[in-house]
Amino acid sequence: MPKREPPPDPIQFKGYTLNSFQVQAAQAIEAGNNVLLAAPTGSGKTLVAEYAIEHAVRAGKRAIYTSPIKALSNQKFRDFKNDGLRVGLMTGDLTLDPDAPLVIMTTEIFRNAVFEDPERFRDTDFAIFDEVHFVDDVDRGTVWEESLIFAPPHVRFVGLSATIANLHEFGEWIRQVRPQALAVIEHTRRPVPLSHRLFHPDAGVFQLEQRARAITFHEKAAARELRHGGRAGRREKERSRWGDKRERAQGRRVTFGPRPYVQLLDELQHRQLLPLLYFCFSRKECEIKAERSMGRMLLDKGERKNIEALFAEICARFELDPAADPGLRGILGRAIAGVGYHHAGMLPIHKEVVERLFTSGLLKMLFTTETFALGINMPARTAVFDLLRKYDGVQMDYMKARDYLQMAGRAGRQGLDKSGLVISILEDEDLKNAPLSRFHSGKVEPITSRFNLSYSTILNLYDRLGSKGLLAAYDKSFAAFQAMTGTPATRQKKKAAAHASLALRVQVLRDAGFLDEKGLLPRGKLAQRINGYEIQVAELLFSGALEPLDVHQLAATFTALIHEDRRRAEPRNARREQGPLMQAVTDAVRRFVAIETLHGIPHPIKEPDWGIAPAIDCWSRGGTVEDLERLAYSDAGDVVRTLRMAIQMMRQVRMTVGKGQQLGARLEEAIVAVNRDVVDAKRQFELG
């Protein structure tokens, strides 16, 4: 009988015995390879990243850790710093110790550095791409592809993701664009398994296999209601009184007694299945449902004292004064009841306070939008979906399985729960029509390339490679790789269409005076040094439209370039008379838009949205957060995020024109005028 080989010695790392997929990844890293790893949330992907980082630092080299959102970058910075590493951070809002052995940055910053300063990576061994499935993001996916294609050849990659349906196809493309061998590793087992359930008021909580029975219960209930038609008027009154947005909009059938979500929360509370994350796709719904849940009083006397003490400690750390901040007082009032809400419209510092309260385990119900699920490690016992449909930019439609699983993955706390419970509240039409097996099967949609070379990328590549090199660059994309299906004629047709689209954008830049046959012209060289809204900035600088603007007008102008009113299809400024200086700025940008329109470019560059200008003018003159929110007709969090981006852009323009120039000096003053209090990201970060 042949002798069986003994199993390999277990690998110990940071006090953990690595499991099989972590061992595979570690061996690939030691062998000099790239790694593409897909594994569920909480299964230990970060340990693979840490192994690559330690490997690089031990060899006297550097590592880069990129993430899709600033909040995740900030969290990773703190995590790695707590491990005793020297860590840098670059997010646009903040730059701290950029020459550290490990630098955390957003993926956009990495891509920009690849084009602007590839020498920065001369001693970089690894770039870790967290949430690498963002290649599929419509707005930002191109950044991931460009990073993988154009990073210096010696830089190795570790791509981390949750489940990817076409993982091996994606891996094959990476093998084509990176010189090192690639290990593709897939792990499907969650450390805390998920238990998926459905809820409808006529059927209660049930499993997918019991759908037919639930439909029968619902039909019987609807028939009973028809027989008592006199109750319809009272239902309308109920609907009006409760005012749930989805019920008003869709005429949802409302039964008597508690609202459906209240019934469910009652049951979860009774069965001690808290804490829970309740996902809504509307900020207002998060707020309404949190306020209506305050009467539950989910904390005992000792817990209430603890959360008050923790709140006071957080406020002291961030130098916050609840007496002067109604928003903070609201957070505390809800927290004492064990309840909170969290969404992107909140001030960043308020979100930070809620996150820290939730990680304590004392908040029992957090009503939140989907952004809470992205990367930030804050699990709960139970996750609840208010709706399975969300607005996709065009219409309300059932969400992708990937989005569902990203949020559902927050259910189940390692070491505390045997399983995580996920419950979806169903509307009447969902009982029959919702693709429920899509969500419960664990299978996700394949990722699709969103490659669409921006003007910024075209300028950078044209400068380095010329027009032929630009077409060759497209041919390296994941889009080109995925297009290589069908007959040879079909493939050639797809390639020709992509090349024609790229050539059209080059022609626009040529006609607008950004480049010619020999290379970049002064307009193009200036735009090349700006990251984001580079065409608009170049047009403003070359037109002279910025020269007559004072400090407050400069702040308002750069914010207007970024701002988009999320509540209206038509920007507010379309109905407002613009002053001559505003009009000159708009006209400067429209010069380029006119050239795009002439060439039939489907989505021209954004024009300034002046709806936010009064708010920014007031803020730059010393106004309050309340003034900012009132005058912007927008959530304070949105305005602060826009202001931070505008500050970032003004810094770039100031560096481009030079501090010694009058415009540069005024830009510096504009930055100081608006970068204060809740807008000052660096101060918030350093205090925390």
Side-chain angles (χ1 to χ4, degrees), residues 52-353:
I53 290 162
E54 185 166 296
H55 183 276
V57 174
R58 199 170 59 234
K61 294 185 177 179
R62 301 173 71 222
I64 308 286
Y65 192 109
T66 84
S67 78
I69 58 171
K70 292 172 185 176
L72 183 53
S73 295
N74 293 347
Q75 184 189 53
K76 291 298 179 187
F77 175 86
R78 292 192 178 103
D79 291 347
F80 285 120
K81 204 160 181 73
N82 290 339
D83 282 351
L85 282 171
R86 182 186 158 204
V87 192
L89 179 68
M90 296 176 72
T91 62
D93 287 347
L94 293 165
T95 298
L96 304 171
D97 198 4
D99 298 317
L102 169 62
V103 181
I104 316 295
M105 59 178 70
T106 54
T107 316
E108 277 84 355
I109 297 279
F110 179 85
R111 187 277 312 268
N112 295 341
V114 162
F115 285 140
E116 292 165 16
D117 187 16
E119 187 61 19
R120 167 189 286 276
F121 302 105
R122 67 186 181 283
D123 56 353
T124 297
D125 188 3
F126 275 105
I128 292 111
F129 274 26
D130 205 352
E131 311 283 359
V132 74
H133 59 267
F134 253 73
V135 161
D136 192 68
D137 186 80
V138 173
D139 296 319
R140 301 170 63 204
T142 297
V143 169
W144 272 254
E145 288 195 47
E146 290 173 358
S147 299
L148 285 160
I149 295 167
F150 301 116
H154 68 273
V155 175
R156 290 192 279 163
F157 281 86
V158 173
L160 305 176
S161 175
T163 308
I164 296 178
N166 53 337
L167 182 70
H168 291 278
E169 180 194 30
F170 186 51
E172 279 305 313
W173 170 70
I174 292 175
R175 287 189 178 104
Q176 286 196 7
V177 295
R178 303 304 303 170
Q180 300 87 357
L182 172 73
V184 177
I185 302 165
E186 190 167 17
H187 179 73
T188 55
R189 209 171 126 211
R190 281 180 54 90
V192 182
L194 293 181
S195 177
H196 298 270
R197 296 290 185 272
L198 303 158
F199 173 81
H200 187 276
D202 295 335
V205 176
F206 62 97
Q207 296 186 36
L208 180 58
E209 297 76 28
Q210 298 167 308
R211 186 180 197 171
R213 186 163 159 261
I215 290 171
T216 302
F217 281 139
H218 163 60
E219 287 173 344
K220 285 180 179 176
R224 276 196 306 273
E225 204 168 287
L226 264 179
R227 288 197 298 273
H228 300 85
R231 295 166 61 182
R234 285 160 57 201
R235 278 205 310 278
E236 289 305 318
K237 286 180 187 172
E238 282 286 299
R239 194 175 287 154
S240 166
R241 183 167 71 82
W242 280 88
D244 278 35
K245 181 180 174 184
R246 62 184 182 175
E247 292 168 1
R248 288 198 306 272
Q250 297 164 20
R252 185 183 182 197
R253 187 176 64 82
V254 180
T255 53
F256 286 96
R259 304 305 88 193
Y261 80 91
V262 175
Q263 282 179 249
L264 177 60
L265 294 183
D266 287 345
E267 186 169 344
L268 293 171
Q269 182 180 344
H270 176 70
R271 293 177 60 194
Q272 299 184 328
L273 292 168
L274 309 181
L276 67 79
L277 286 172
Y278 190 110
F279 288 106
C280 301
F281 297 121
S282 151
R283 297 173 181 183
K284 189 53 69 180
E285 282 296 305
C286 289
E287 296 177 11
I288 290 170
K289 286 182 166 60
E291 294 292 341
R292 287 180 183 161
S293 300
M294 284 177 66
R296 292 178 178 278
M297 298 305 291
L298 300 167
L299 306 185
D300 60 33
K301 190 175 178 182
E303 288 173 322
R304 287 198 295 274
K305 280 181 70 176
N306 288 344
I307 208 158
E308 283 186 32
L310 177 58
F311 178 82
E313 181 189 314
I314 295 166
C315 287
R317 167 172 284 209
F318 286 103
E319 299 177 3
L320 303 173
D321 179 11
D325 187 337
L328 278 175
R329 295 198 299 276
I331 289 170
L332 177 60
R334 289 184 290 274
I336 289 170
V339 173
Y341 66 75
H342 182 286
H343 59 68
M346 296 169 69
L347 286 170
I349 189 62
H350 288 177
K351 286 196 294 182
E352 182 90 33
V353 171

Side-chain angles (χ1 to χ4, degrees), residues 368-621:
T368 183
T369 52
E370 61 190 304
T371 51
F372 194 82
L374 189 62
I376 300 173
N377 184 25
M378 295 186 188
R381 170 71 183 85
T382 301
V384 176
F385 287 88
D386 190 51
L387 279 174
L388 288 174
R389 281 170 294 138
K390 56 184 268 200
Y391 186 65
D392 62 6
V394 180
Q395 61 185 355
M396 286 288 287
D397 200 0
Y398 289 105
M399 73 177 92
K400 288 183 175 180
R402 187 189 306 125
D403 295 337
Y404 171 87
L405 288 172
Q406 180 94 43
M407 289 177 264
R410 294 296 154 213
R413 299 160 298 171
Q414 214 161 340
L416 291 173
D417 304 319
K418 288 182 180 176
S419 68
L421 178 62
V422 185
I423 303 181
S424 302
I425 298 176
L426 300 184
E427 307 238 311
D428 294 351
E429 60 267 37
D430 297 336
L431 272 173
K432 293 181 180 177
N433 301 329
L436 299 176
S437 57
R438 173 203 295 181
F439 304 124
H440 290 202
S441 68
K443 295 176 182 174
V444 297
E445 302 80 9
I447 56 174
T448 304
S449 173
R450 307 295 181 177
F451 197 69
N452 179 23
L453 287 176
S454 65
Y455 287 123
S456 171
T457 304
I458 290 170
L459 290 167
N460 276 294
L461 294 178
Y462 192 89
D463 190 32
R464 286 165 51 194
L465 307 169
S467 57
K468 286 184 180 175
L470 199 55
L471 297 176
Y474 166 79
D475 292 341
K476 288 183 178 179
S477 71
F478 188 40
F481 182 85
Q482 289 192 310
M484 295 303 288
T485 55
T487 65
T490 304
R491 294 201 297 267
Q492 193 56 42
K493 193 175 177 182
K494 289 177 184 173
K495 183 175 179 177
H499 282 195
S501 174
L502 191 50
L504 187 63
R505 294 172 84 83
V506 171
Q507 189 60 49
V508 168
L509 289 168
R510 194 186 300 273
D511 290 355
F514 282 73
L515 50 79
D516 63 14
E517 294 81 0
K518 294 177 184 175
L520 299 191
L521 297 170
R523 241 187 182 93
K525 287 178 179 174
L526 187 145
Q528 195 182 20
R529 297 199 291 274
I530 306 295
N531 299 316
Y533 304 93
E534 61 285 332
I535 301 298
Q536 290 93 327
V537 170
E539 292 298 298
L540 294 183
L541 285 169
F542 273 79
S543 70
L546 298 178
E547 295 300 334
L549 303 184
D550 65 21
V551 168
H552 312 294
Q553 291 163 340
L554 281 170
T557 295
F558 279 90
T559 315
L561 290 180
I562 298 161
H563 174 66
E564 289 187 78
D565 193 330
R566 68 187 293 272
R567 300 184 186 182
R568 287 171 175 78
E570 287 295 315
R572 189 174 287 103
N573 66 290
R575 297 183 294 277
R576 173 186 291 171
E577 192 68 34
Q578 293 182 21
L581 296 179
M582 281 184 184
Q583 192 62 55
V585 167
T586 301
D587 289 345
V589 175
R590 282 179 177 167
R591 184 191 84 91
F592 192 90
V593 172
I595 296 168
E596 288 184 300
T597 305
L598 194 64
H599 285 286
I601 297 291
H603 302 292
I605 62 167
K606 180 188 171 298
E607 295 182 22
D609 181 344
W610 296 104
I612 200 171
I616 304 307
D617 183 76
C618 177
W619 178 257
S620 69
R621 296 175 192 274

